[in-house]
């Protein structure tokens, strides 16, 4: 296959994955769309804008903690270690660590998107010319083999961004257990988790005054129109973000502003006025709660760092 044919085959595969998920999510009694579909090109750009909003504290706060602790984290990477990053999208944070680290055997980004990996590889190789980059294309929520050339190397995992918060607690624990088997006994994981806090502060972070989070949420519908020929009237849905105290999470929804019918690839979906489509969970943890979750997945908590306001936590876990 030519590179171009391969790219369009991949695009077609993502498209039918989206079609399938959307149709099944809208067919359920409680409608939902999986949050992984936020990140097409437009959605990724909107997310970048979110990270720079005054209300959205997680990205700046985590970056501040990593900057303050870069030497401590670098000390975990003894010479010959491989740095395994789960995902490949966090350039600033990764570069912060790589700058502080001595002789790594290799940097291994794992991502489901080949295009994102190519981009990360190019960027990191340019910034760190002596560093071996070994991209692994795959799904790190499933069993996964790292390249044979690094079989014997000690491993340090890195999973910033509080992406873990998008998962329910049981799915989060399964993911942590899978990361535990990828990293292997004695290896470590540096992972970011957003903290529980004043509810007003939490809600404001997902209801910014400039409306960027609303645009990010509504982009799911625009994307469905563009990629699948759906006929959502985006002006007839509104963004909503609320805090569920019982589950300790922010929930995002798209709320139908009137009774309406939408069609997606020959499937018709009826909406009542006020009916919601669930689009994202963002779980918030306290330090002990997150450590207990990790312990249940075979990780021993070794250190935890927070900012002065205790908005965000970065944990160091050891694989037992
Ligand atoms: C990328 C999962 C960390 O949950 O805060 C930001 C995504 N959603 N604003 C989060 C998001 C709405 C974000 N994470």
């Amino acid at each position: 296959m030519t590179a171009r044919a391969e790219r369009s085959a991949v695009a077609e595969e993502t498209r039918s994955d989206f079609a399938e998920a959307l149709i099944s999510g809208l067919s359920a009694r409680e409608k939902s769309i999986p949050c992984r579909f936020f990140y097409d090109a437009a959605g990724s750009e909107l997310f970048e804008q979110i990270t720079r909003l005054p209300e959205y504290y997680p990205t700046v706060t985590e970056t501040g903690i990593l900057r303050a602790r870069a030497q401590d984290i670098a000390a975990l990477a003894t010479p010959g270690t491989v740095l395994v990053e789960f995902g490949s999208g966090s350039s600033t944070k990764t570069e912060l660590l790589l700058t502080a680290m001595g002789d790594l055997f290799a940097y291994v980004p794992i991502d489901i998107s080949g295009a994102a990996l190519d981009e990360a590889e190019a960027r990191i190789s340019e910034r760190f010319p002596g560093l071996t980059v070994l991209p692994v294309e795959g799904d790190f929520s499933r069993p996964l083999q790292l390249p044979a050339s690094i079989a014997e190397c000690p491993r340090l995992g890195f999973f910033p961004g509080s992406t873990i918060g998008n998962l329910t607690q049981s799915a989060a624990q399964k993911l942590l257990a899978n990361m535990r088997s990828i990293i292997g006994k004695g290896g470590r994981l540096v992972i970011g988790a957003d903290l529980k806090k004043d509810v007003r502060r939490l809600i404001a972070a997902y209801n910014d005054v400039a409306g960027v989070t609303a645009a990010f949420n509504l982009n799911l519908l625009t994307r469905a129109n563009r990629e699948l020929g759906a006929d959502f009237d985006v002006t007839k849905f509104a963004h909503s973000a609320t805090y569920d105290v019982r589950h300790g999470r922010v929930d995002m929804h798209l709320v139908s502003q009137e009774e309406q019918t939408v069609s997606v690839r020959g499937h018709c979906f009826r909406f009542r006025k006020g009916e919601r489509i669930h689009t994202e969970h963002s779980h918030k943890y306290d330090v002990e709660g997150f450590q207990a979750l990790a312990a249940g997945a075979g990780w021993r908590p070794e250190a935890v760092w927070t900012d002065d306001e205790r908005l965000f936590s970065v944990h160091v876990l050891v694989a037992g």
Side-chain angles (χ1 to χ4, degrees):
M1 228 192 275
T2 65
R4 178 141 182 241
E6 199 160 325
R7 268 200 307 276
S8 73
V10 170
E12 190 41 53
E13 192 177 284
T14 352
R15 203 175 291 232
S16 55
D17 181 29
F18 185 31
E20 213 171 287
L22 184 68
I23 291 163
S24 100
L26 295 183
S27 303
R29 199 176 53 80
E30 298 209 348
K31 296 182 170 66
S32 66
I33 306 174
C35 65
R36 66 175 187 278
F37 296 106
F38 279 133
Y39 302 95
D40 66 346
S44 301
E45 170 52 35
L46 287 164
F47 181 67
E48 281 300 310
Q49 288 180 36
I50 288 175
T51 65
R52 295 191 293 266
L53 291 169
E55 298 96 333
Y56 194 76
Y57 62 83
T59 312
V60 264
T61 310
E62 182 181 42
T63 306
I65 297 169
L66 292 172
R67 189 168 284 126
R69 301 296 178 172
Q71 289 310 325
D72 304 272
I73 299 169
L76 303 175
T78 47
T81 296
V82 292
L83 180 66
V84 177
E85 179 163 9
F86 296 101
S88 59
S90 55
S91 51
T92 330
K93 296 171 200 167
T94 312
E95 288 175 21
L96 238 155
L97 296 197
L98 289 173
T99 303
M101 282 176 183
D103 289 334
L104 282 178
F105 187 83
Y107 165 62
V108 180
I110 308 178
D111 204 292
I112 201 153
S113 156
L117 279 174
D118 289 348
E119 208 237 291
E121 181 178 19
R123 195 182 59 230
I124 296 294
S125 301
E126 197 192 342
R127 281 278 279 114
F128 303 89
L131 180 67
T132 304
V133 183
L134 295 172
V136 172
E137 192 171 335
D139 177 356
F140 54 76
S141 69
R142 303 246 164 99
L144 183 142
Q145 227 35 71
L146 295 187
S149 61
I150 57 169
E152 303 301 320
C153 301
R155 294 167 189 185
L156 175 62
F158 185 43
F159 191 38
S162 69
T163 312
I164 191 90
N166 284 156
L167 305 179
T168 62
Q169 297 222 9
S170 73
Q173 197 161 61
K174 281 190 193 126
L175 179 63
L176 285 165
N178 198 55
M179 290 173 160
R180 153 77 189 70
S181 62
I182 293 171
I183 292 301
K185 194 173 165 59
R188 285 181 172 77
L189 177 66
V190 173
I191 180 170
D194 197 12
L195 291 172
K196 292 199 160 121
K197 60 184 61 64
D198 179 73
V199 173
R200 280 162 304 187
R201 183 92 190 239
L202 275 174
I203 295 207
Y206 295 83
N207 283 293
D208 62 282
V209 171
V212 184
T213 309
F216 174 72
N217 199 4
L218 286 160
N219 176 57
L220 282 171
L221 306 184
T222 315
R223 178 179 180 182
N225 289 347
R226 188 178 54 247
E227 289 184 15
L228 309 176
D231 63 354
F232 285 101
D233 180 343
V234 179
T235 65
K236 291 184 181 162
F237 286 87
H239 164 72
S240 148
T242 51
Y243 188 65
D244 174 345
V245 183
R246 189 164 75 90
H247 293 100
R249 67 193 182 204
V250 171
D251 282 302
M252 295 212 309
H253 291 90
L254 291 164
V255 187
S256 178
Q257 298 304 99
E258 53 188 71
E259 191 178 312
Q260 55 182 319
T261 304
V262 175
S263 77
V264 184
R265 294 205 163 167
H267 299 258
C268 264
F269 301 102
R270 216 184 299 279
F271 289 86
R272 299 182 306 276
K273 180 175 174 158
E275 186 172 354
R276 308 183 302 175
I277 309 172
H278 185 269
T279 55
E280 185 176 57
H281 292 308
S282 190
H283 289 79
K284 310 303 168 188
Y285 289 95
D286 51 38
V287 165
E288 300 69 30
F290 189 80
Q291 288 178 335
L293 185 79
W299 293 99
R300 179 172 59 77
E302 187 176 56
V304 58
W305 302 306
T306 68
D307 55 296
D308 290 344
E309 289 186 274
R310 284 187 84 84
L311 296 175
F312 198 93
S313 61
V314 174
H315 293 255
V316 181
L317 307 171
V318 185

